[in-house]
C-alpha cells in the first residue's frame, strides 16, 4: 500500500483468499483505496473444489503404480511441490515418493522460515516422507514410484530427463499441477499431445492429466478483492486475458479499468 499526494495505491501481487496445506490465505484486513493494481491469472475462470483435485491425484497415483507404472508430477519449485508433498504425506500413500530438481533447494529455504508456514512440524514430517534425488534417477525408475519434480511447465529441469525415458510408456502418468502458459512445452502437450525433447517433437503416450492446485485466486475472488478495497480505478496485470477482464470490470462494476500494454507501467497520481 502506497500513499502519495493524498491518494492510496494498493498493489495486490499474486493473492489467494483460501488456506492451503502449506500457508494461510491472505490477510483480509484490506484498506479502501483509490487505485488498485491486481493480478488476473484466472479471470473468467473459477477453480474446482480443492478436495476433488486431491482425490483425483491420489486416484491417478494408485491406479498407475498398481499397474507397474511411474507418476511424474511436474510442478513449481516454490510452494507447489511442497503442497503436493503435504498431501501425499497426509494420505500416506504406499508407493515411494521422490523429490527432485530445484524443489529440493526451495524446500531447504522454506524450512528456514518456520513461522511462514501453517504447520512447520507437519512440513518437516512430509520432508522425511519423501526421498530426495541427486544422481540416482535411473534407480528411481526401477520400481513403481512417484516423482515430484521441476519444471512445472516442462521447459527444463529433471522432468525432461524422466520424460525422455517414459514418454512412450502407456502404463505411466504425467500430472501437471500448475498453470501452463502459452508457448510453454506443457501447453503444447495439452494442445497437441506432443512435447519437444532434445530438439525433437515427440508424441506422449503416457496418461496426461492437468489438475488445478493453483495458488492464485479465481474469478469469484478477484471480484471479492475489488469489493473489499472499493477502488476508483483498476489496473489489471498478470493474465492471458487482462485486457478483456479490464473491459469486463469497466462494464459490470462501472469502475474505470485498464490493462497496461507495455512496460514500464506509469500511473500518474494527480
Amino acid at each position: 500500500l502506497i500513499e502519495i499526494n493524498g491518494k492510496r495505491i494498493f498493489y495486490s501481487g499474486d493473492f489467494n483468499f483460501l488456506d492451503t496445506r502449506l500457508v494461510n490465505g491472505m490477510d483480509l484486513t484490506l484498506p479502501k483505496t483509490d487505485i488498485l493494481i491486481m493480478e488476473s491469472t484466472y479471470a473468467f475462470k473459477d477453480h474446482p473444489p480443492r478436495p476433488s483435485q486431491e482425490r483425483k491425484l491420489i486416484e491417478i497415483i494408485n491406479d498407475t503404480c498398481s499397474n507397474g507404472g511411474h507418476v511424474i508430477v511436474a510442478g513449481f519449485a516454490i510452494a507447489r511441490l511442497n503442497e503436493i508433498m503435504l498431501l501425499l504425506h497426509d494420505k500416506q500413500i504406499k508407493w515411494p515418493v521422490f523429490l527432485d530438481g530445484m524443489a529440493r533447494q526451495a524446500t531447504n529455504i522454506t524450512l528456514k522460515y518456520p513461522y511462514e508456514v501453517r504447520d512447520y512440524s507437519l512440513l518437516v514430517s512430509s520432508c522425511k516422507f519423501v526421498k530426495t534425488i541427486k544422481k540416482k534417477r535411473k534407480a528411481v525408475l526401477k520400481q513403481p514410484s512417484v516423482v515430484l519434480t521441476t519444471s512445472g511447465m516442462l521447459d527444463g529441469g529433471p522432468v525432461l530427463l524422466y520424460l525422455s525415458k517414459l514418454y512412450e510408456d502407456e502404463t505411466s502418468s504425467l500430472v501437471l499441477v500448475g498453470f501452463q502458459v502459452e508457448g510453454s512445452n506443457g501447453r503444447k502437450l495439452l494442445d497437441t499431445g506432443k512435447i519437444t525433447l532434445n530438439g525433437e517433437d515427440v508424441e506422449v503416450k503416457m496418461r496426461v492429466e492437468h489438475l488445478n492446485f493453483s495458488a492464485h485466486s479465481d474469478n469469484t475472488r478477484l471480484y471479492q478483492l475489488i469489493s473489499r478495497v472499493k477502488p476508483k480505478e483498476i489496473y489489471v496485470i498478470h493474465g492471458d486475458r487482462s485486457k478483456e477482464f479490464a473491459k469486463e470490470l469497466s462494464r459490470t462494476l462501472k469502475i474505470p479499468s485498464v490493462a497496461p500494454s507495455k512496460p514500464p507501467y506509469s500511473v500518474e497520481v494527480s
Side-chain angles (χ1 to χ4, degrees):
L1 176 66
I2 301 170
E3 297 192 48
I4 182 170
N5 294 343
K7 290 199 174 186
R8 287 181 165 186
I9 303 172
F10 181 60
Y11 177 31
S12 77
D14 300 342
F15 68 94
N16 189 357
F17 277 26
L18 304 179
D19 294 342
T20 65
R21 290 177 181 269
L22 182 66
V23 295
N24 291 317
M26 66 181 287
D27 183 354
L28 296 179
T29 307
L30 302 173
K32 291 183 180 179
T33 187
D34 296 292
I35 296 172
L36 169 64
I37 305 172
M38 65 180 296
E39 68 139 312
S40 59
T41 308
Y42 280 93
F44 303 106
K45 297 179 182 177
D46 278 343
H47 297 320
R50 179 60 63 88
S52 71
Q53 301 301 283
E54 294 183 348
R55 288 193 297 271
K56 183 70 173 178
L57 178 58
I58 299 303
E59 173 191 303
I60 294 167
I61 290 172
N62 287 332
D63 288 350
T64 301
C65 292
S66 294
N67 289 321
H70 308 278
V71 179
I72 308 300
V73 179
F76 305 137
I78 299 173
R80 191 63 49 83
L81 289 180
N82 287 154
E83 182 80 7
I84 303 300
M85 282 169 48
L86 287 162
L87 167 63
L88 301 188
H89 174 262
D90 178 53
K91 301 303 181 182
Q92 289 293 304
I93 66 166
K94 63 181 181 180
W95 315 102
V97 180
F98 299 92
L99 183 68
D100 200 0
M102 195 183 295
R104 292 186 288 111
Q105 296 95 315
T107 298
N108 288 334
I109 293 171
T110 301
L111 289 170
K112 294 179 181 179
Y113 299 90
Y115 298 107
E116 300 296 336
V117 298
R118 288 187 68 189
D119 190 328
Y120 184 73
S121 62
L122 190 60
L123 178 61
V124 171
S125 296
S126 76
C127 290
K128 293 177 181 178
F129 180 73
V130 303
K131 303 173 184 178
T132 57
I133 305 168
K134 292 184 178 178
K135 297 181 180 179
K136 300 179 181 179
R137 293 181 177 118
K138 290 184 179 179
V140 168
L141 299 181
K142 290 182 179 179
Q143 59 179 326
S145 57
V146 182
V147 180
L148 314 179
T149 190
T150 52
S151 72
M153 296 188 192
L154 312 184
D155 281 330
V159 69
L160 296 180
L161 297 175
Y162 291 108
L163 293 181
S164 69
K165 305 291 184 184
L166 297 173
Y167 73 91
E168 293 185 299
D169 181 6
E170 296 181 2
T171 65
S172 291
S173 299
L174 169 63
V175 183
L176 306 173
V177 293
F179 186 76
Q180 304 299 308
V181 73
E182 194 73 38
S184 67
N185 222 4
R187 175 64 72 87
K188 179 177 181 178
L189 175 61
L190 295 176
D191 291 345
T192 70
K194 297 181 179 181
I195 59 172
T196 302
L197 286 175
N198 301 318
E200 181 182 353
D201 284 357
V202 298
E203 182 180 353
V204 176
K205 297 182 179 179
M206 302 168 70
R207 174 181 179 180
V208 177
E209 297 283 352
H210 188 199
L211 301 183
N212 189 326
F213 282 85
S214 179
H216 294 270
S217 286
D218 59 14
N219 188 73
T220 296
R221 290 176 177 82
L222 293 177
Y223 274 92
Q224 287 178 3
L225 175 69
I226 296 169
S227 70
R228 284 178 177 274
V229 301
K230 303 187 185 318
K232 298 174 183 176
E233 299 176 52
I234 301 173
Y235 289 82
V236 180
I237 60 174
H238 199 282
D240 285 346
R241 303 175 66 185
S242 294
K243 291 185 183 298
E244 293 174 63
F245 189 53
K247 289 180 180 179
E248 183 70 6
L249 295 178
S250 295
R251 184 184 68 83
T252 58
L253 301 180
K254 310 303 180 186
I255 300 173
S257 304
V258 297
S261 57
K262 292 182 180 180
Y265 305 137
S266 176
V267 178
E268 182 177 342
V269 181
S270 57

